[in-house]
Amino acid sequence: MRGWLISPKWKLAMGAAAKCGSTTLAQLFKHNSALRLNVPDVRHGREDWSMVPRAYRRVGVIRHPVPRFLSLWHNVQERKRGSGNNFYNQFVGEKPEALLEGIKKVGLDYEFHFQPQYLIGHEQLDAELVQLSSLNEWWALNAPAGATGMPVENKSVGHRPDAATLSHELAPDICQLYAKDFALW
């Protein structure tokens, strides 16, 4: 899975799966002109874990599987996707259970927004893991000299049902489906 941003300027690689702060990291690298690849859209500068130099500090951002899944479901409800053939269109207006069942039917490797986090290669890189909920604090303590602060990006803005209620009902199924990610977290 391509999820690593590599910075020769900082001798740092940071990686995150989709819905785990990946866009925030991309914006951070863009605002600091710290990305190795020169691409028009910084999100397209993500690379496979095998491209990360061993001498670089390697930091993986992880997220608990339940809030990650709910973030995806909220995104499906809020974001227009155009084509009627888009996988997510069938779940607009549906409860999160429908999306969970749809993912189970097509398999976790079908689409990168719900691929397991462990596929990003945290273990292969022996990466330091930072929970998404602690990323701002981690950056404040570990940012390279002269780097700007952590941007807040990719926030969903629409109506959100009570996530605690949804989490309680779906948590066992989500954690079972993403058992390796749950263990990673």
Side-chain angles (χ1 to χ4, degrees):
M1 176 192 305
R2 294 176 41 148
W4 289 88
L5 298 161
I6 301 171
S7 174
K9 175 181 178 178
W10 294 334
K11 302 280 188 257
L12 171 70
M14 294 185 79
K19 309 311 293 174
C20 297
S22 60
T23 299
T24 297
L25 289 181
Q27 291 303 317
L28 174 70
F29 277 62
K30 177 183 175 181
H31 292 311
N32 284 283
S33 301
L35 189 63
R36 178 169 80 144
L37 298 178
N38 184 15
V39 291
D41 183 337
V42 71
R43 294 173 301 171
H44 300 152
R46 297 177 185 133
E47 300 183 66
D48 183 75
W49 67 267
S50 64
M51 299 302 295
V52 175
R54 281 299 205 189
Y56 282 24
R57 184 175 189 180
R58 299 167 310 276
V59 180
V61 180
I62 57 173
R63 189 174 190 183
H64 190 285
V66 174
R68 180 180 182 227
F69 172 81
L70 293 172
S71 176
L72 175 61
W73 179 75
H74 288 296
N75 182 267
V76 168
Q77 302 310 310
E78 296 168 2
R79 187 170 163 228
K80 295 183 187 202
R81 295 195 169 359
S83 168
N85 294 329
N86 184 293
F87 171 76
Y88 295 110
N89 284 347
Q90 63 188 308
F91 304 108
V92 173
E94 296 292 330
K95 292 184 177 193
E97 292 87 341
L99 177 59
L100 186 61
E101 289 306 312
I103 291 171
K104 287 178 182 179
K105 284 180 185 171
V106 297
L108 291 174
D109 60 347
Y110 182 79
E111 208 270 336
F112 75 96
H113 281 98
F114 53 78
Q115 285 179 336
Q117 296 174 65
Y118 75 85
L119 293 177
I120 199 167
H122 302 102
E123 284 184 1
Q124 291 87 340
L125 290 174
D126 191 27
E128 174 184 351
L129 299 180
V130 176
Q131 293 180 5
L132 179 59
S133 59
S134 302
L135 183 58
N136 286 332
E137 293 84 9
W138 182 90
W139 185 253
L141 296 171
N142 294 281
T148 63
M150 185 68 63
V152 178
E153 297 289 334
N154 208 23
K155 289 273 188 186
S156 298
V157 294
H159 171 70
R160 291 189 168 234
D162 180 7
T165 302
L166 297 175
S167 300
H168 179 71
E169 295 169 1
L170 294 177
D173 287 343
I174 294 168
C175 288
Q176 182 179 8
L177 185 63
Y178 289 99
K180 285 187 175 181
D181 285 357
F182 185 69
L184 184 69
W185 186 82

